[in-house]
Amino acid sequence: MPPPQRRLAPGAIRWPAGFLKLYGVLMYILTALLTLVLIVSRMPDSSNRLTEPAWEVVLYSTLISLGLAVLFTHAARRLRRGSNGHAWYPMALCVLVAAGGVYLARGFGEPAWLGLSAVYAGAALLLLLPSARAWIRPLRPPSAPPSVSNATGPAEA
């Protein structure tokens, strides 16, 4: 018996997965830029020297952005998987980043972090929409194949 047909993702799920993939790509770009800053600041004849505490802050920022990039691209892949995907993982990731933005806005007094929080909280809320969650449910078991009986019927019995 052939395996059951895999359901294709409707357009409703592609936009959240696309946004998560975009977030991941942007985080990879940020990681590359921060890595470049780290390398340039350690060159012997560089005029852009960072103090040791500033260098550590940039290093930790680089590691965090790399971790978020991996998580976002993984979340986008999980959303596109159909019945094997899970909506809780991308939602939890977006809520975590939104909460981090609120924490940073409150801690540093920078209202720009609230914009980041609004984007990620909005992405988490969009994943709660029925159109985004409707297809992430288990596939129905395949119907029983038709029984193969004797072609001549009861006359042969």
Side-chain angles (χ1 to χ4, degrees), residues 8 15 18 27 29 38 66 88 105 117 142:
L8 295 177
W15 54 263
M27 294 307 266
I29 292 170
L38 288 173
L66 178 63
W88 66 266
S117 297

Side-chain angles (χ1 to χ4, degrees), residues 2-22:
Q5 289 282 334
R6 196 166 173 205
R7 285 193 310 188
L8 295 177
I13 201 67
R14 290 203 172 121
W15 54 263
F19 279 120
L20 288 175
K21 187 174 183 181
L22 173 68

Side-chain angles (χ1 to χ4, degrees), residues 30-54:
L30 178 65
T31 301
L33 292 174
L34 290 174
T35 303
L36 185 65
V37 167
L38 288 173
I39 292 170
V40 167
S41 70
R42 290 294 183 175
M43 294 187 119
D45 55 347
S46 174
S47 63
N48 300 327
R49 298 294 259 180
L50 290 175
T51 62
E52 194 62 32

Side-chain angles (χ1 to χ4, degrees), residues 53-143:
W55 195 83
E56 286 180 8
V57 166
V58 174
L59 176 66
Y60 291 135
S61 299
T62 304
L63 294 174
I64 289 170
S65 67
L66 178 63
L68 284 174
V70 169
L71 289 174
F72 279 131
T73 52
H74 181 64
R77 266 190 281 148
R78 286 186 71 113
L79 268 180
R80 290 179 192 242
R81 272 194 208 158
S83 63
N84 295 333
H86 300 284
W88 66 266
Y89 173 69
M91 278 191 291
L93 183 61
C94 288
V95 167
L96 179 72
V97 174
V102 169
Y103 176 76
L104 289 173
R106 193 179 61 140
F108 292 118
E110 291 289 331
W113 288 107
L114 292 176
L116 174 84
S117 297
V119 167
Y120 285 104
L125 289 174
L126 289 175
L127 285 169
L128 288 174
L129 290 176
S131 63
R133 297 178 52 85
W135 79 290
I136 304 178
R137 59 178 174 258
L139 291 172
R140 283 182 246 145
S143 60

